[in-house]
Amino acid sequence: LGTGAFSSVRLGRLDDRVSAIKFIAQRHATAALKEVEILRLLDHSAIPKLHFVKRTESFVAIAMEFCPG
């Protein structure tokens, strides 16, 4: 879906849900986990819902609701 300075976003599927999955390099994990913390606090129709977070040795993956358009 896109690439930025610190991450790339790809389309993924979990069960029957389509998700936008943001992959962030481990060296930027602090900022990524701060983003997750904020997403967990927010509940608004204009903000994608957080599905899950997975952390590995090389990246942090943040799966969010896919909002086409």
Side-chain angles (χ1 to χ4, degrees), residues 5-68:
F6 304 111
S7 65
S8 65
V9 181
R10 299 184 184 138
L11 201 57
R13 185 175 298 276
L14 177 65
D15 301 323
D16 59 347
R17 291 190 298 201
V18 176
S19 298
I21 305 174
K22 182 186 270 189
F23 294 92
I24 303 166
Q26 191 59 254
R27 67 182 177 273
H28 301 291
T30 302
L33 297 175
K34 187 68 168 173
E35 180 178 345
V36 168
E37 199 175 302
I38 292 167
L39 284 170
R40 286 188 172 138
L41 294 173
L42 300 175
D43 184 18
H44 191 277
S45 61
I47 299 172
K49 303 288 184 249
L50 178 67
H51 289 171
F52 70 87
V53 178
K54 173 138 177 98
R55 190 171 182 176
T56 70
E57 288 183 20
S58 54
F59 64 85
V60 176
I62 303 172
M64 297 174 281
E65 175 183 19
F66 174 62
C67 301

